[in-house]
Amino acid sequence: PVLLLVDRRNDPVTPLLNQWTYQAMLHELLGVDNCLIDMSRVPNVRPELEMIVMSMIQDPFFEENALSNFGDLGNTIQKYVEDYKRKTKNTANIESIEQMQRFVDQYPEFRRLSGNVSKHVTVVSELSRIVNANGLLEASQLEQEIACSDSRQEHYRAVFEMLQGGSITNMERLRLVLLYALKYENDPSIADLKRLLHQKDIEQDQIALIDQLLRYAGQSVRSVDLFQNKSVIARTKAAITRQVQGVDNVYTQH
């Protein structure tokens, strides 16, 4: 085994962004411990799925789709369901992740014929629930805009409004301010955002991470211009056509 230590000083932005590949979302939103995912707290989960194994060695579907983005993953799962419907002449209407989950619950035969695919329907359904409950799509889009375009006033307004709102978690609030501080580290508006974080009951030691991050990876200590020419990239946004309701594709410009 090889232990690789990576210094993120030249790119502190990437670890702060929400990740949208299947494998990364499993680790960040559900937690993976030695290839095991604890699903016992998932609403209405079937008993056999309270603890699941997620291993590329044992699971061909996961091996093929571990690096797929969330939108493509939903489309792939839908194809498996549609194939089963054709084979069994089933006429159930399935257009969303929630409908796929209900279909899997109602047709045990699909679970037997599809192998691990039904397990992934349940996992993707829970990921979709977490994404929607925590406002991760909206937060992620703003993260990407901060990382990839240069518009301080617009970014400040958008961050301020999102911090004030109730659609995101305090973790997402802190992420956004960290990114904003990296992008506009000498701007006095950072102090206003810190005060707003304090009003949202975020602990002072967490707010202090903003200054610590700038000392560690601010512009004066980075050896590259992290944000150079990103406004050009921002103008080339492209989203994959949304085909499965409940699984949005998001920008991954950075």
Side-chain angles (χ1 to χ4, degrees):
V2 176
L3 175 62
L4 179 63
L5 300 178
V6 180
D7 186 353
R8 299 301 314 196
R9 181 165 295 175
N10 283 330
D11 179 16
V13 170
T14 300
L16 293 173
L17 301 175
N18 275 290
Q19 303 299 310
W20 295 98
T21 61
Y22 191 24
Q23 187 177 41
M25 293 179 73
L26 291 176
H27 282 277
E28 186 152 338
L29 301 183
L30 294 178
V32 182
D33 183 9
N34 198 26
C35 297
L36 293 175
I37 299 178
D38 185 354
M39 300 277 286
S40 60
R41 297 184 181 180
V42 174
N44 304 314
V45 68
R46 299 195 305 276
E48 67 269 22
L49 293 178
E50 290 184 354
M51 186 68 71
I52 64 174
V53 177
M54 195 69 73
S55 168
M56 293 185 187
I57 297 175
Q58 302 176 9
D59 188 336
F61 184 89
F62 184 50
E63 181 182 17
E64 292 176 9
N65 295 279
L67 301 182
S68 296
N69 71 59
F70 199 38
D72 289 342
L73 177 67
N75 294 335
T76 300
I77 292 176
Q78 187 182 37
K79 289 177 183 177
Y80 276 87
V81 175
E82 293 294 338
D83 185 57
Y84 172 80
K85 286 170 54 182
R86 284 192 296 270
K87 291 178 180 177
T88 60
K89 296 181 173 57
N90 190 295
T91 59
N93 183 40
I94 300 174
E95 295 182 350
S96 70
I97 286 294
E98 292 76 15
Q99 289 171 344
M100 271 194 262
Q101 182 63 62
R102 286 196 294 270
F103 179 86
V104 170
D105 290 339
Q106 293 171 2
Y107 294 94
E109 182 67 10
F110 172 76
R111 300 201 294 269
R112 185 182 69 80
L113 293 176
S114 64
N116 279 328
V117 177
S118 62
K119 172 185 74 177
H120 292 282
V121 172
T122 300
V123 172
V124 170
S125 177
E126 176 60 8
L127 290 175
S128 181
R129 186 190 69 82
I130 294 172
V131 166
N132 291 329
N134 295 329
L136 296 185
L137 287 173
E138 295 80 5
S140 181
Q141 182 172 348
L142 181 52
E143 290 169 3
Q144 293 290 333
E145 289 173 356
I146 293 172
C148 299
S149 65
D150 190 8
S151 180
R152 192 204 63 78
Q153 289 185 339
E154 178 62 24
H155 291 161
Y156 175 76
R157 181 195 62 77
V159 170
F160 193 90
E161 290 179 357
M162 193 164 286
L163 295 186
Q164 282 189 315
S167 64
I168 63 174
T169 65
N170 278 348
M171 175 63 76
E172 296 307 316
R173 290 186 174 95
L174 183 58
R175 276 193 214 237
L176 286 170
V177 179
L178 286 167
L179 286 167
Y180 182 90
L182 281 170
K183 186 66 175 284
Y184 307 108
E185 61 181 274
N186 296 316
D187 197 272
S189 59
I190 296 172
D192 296 331
L193 298 179
K194 288 180 181 178
R195 284 191 288 270
L196 190 50
L197 291 178
H198 182 71
Q199 293 172 15
K200 289 296 183 178
D201 297 324
I202 295 179
E203 297 292 336
Q204 187 58 42
D205 60 338
Q206 291 187 307
I207 298 176
L209 291 173
I210 299 168
D211 292 331
Q212 292 175 24
L213 178 62
L214 294 179
R215 286 194 295 270
Y216 170 73
Q219 185 176 356
S220 63
V221 294
R222 294 195 302 266
S223 61
V224 297
D225 185 353
L226 181 59
F227 298 105
Q228 185 177 17
N229 293 328
K230 286 300 178 70
S231 60
V232 176
I233 299 176
R235 291 195 293 268
T236 63
K237 292 178 181 178
I240 302 171
T241 302
R242 176 175 163 179
Q243 296 181 11
V244 182
Q245 296 175 24
V247 181
D248 294 78
N249 289 281
V250 299
Y251 300 131
T252 53
Q253 303 164 64
H254 179 80

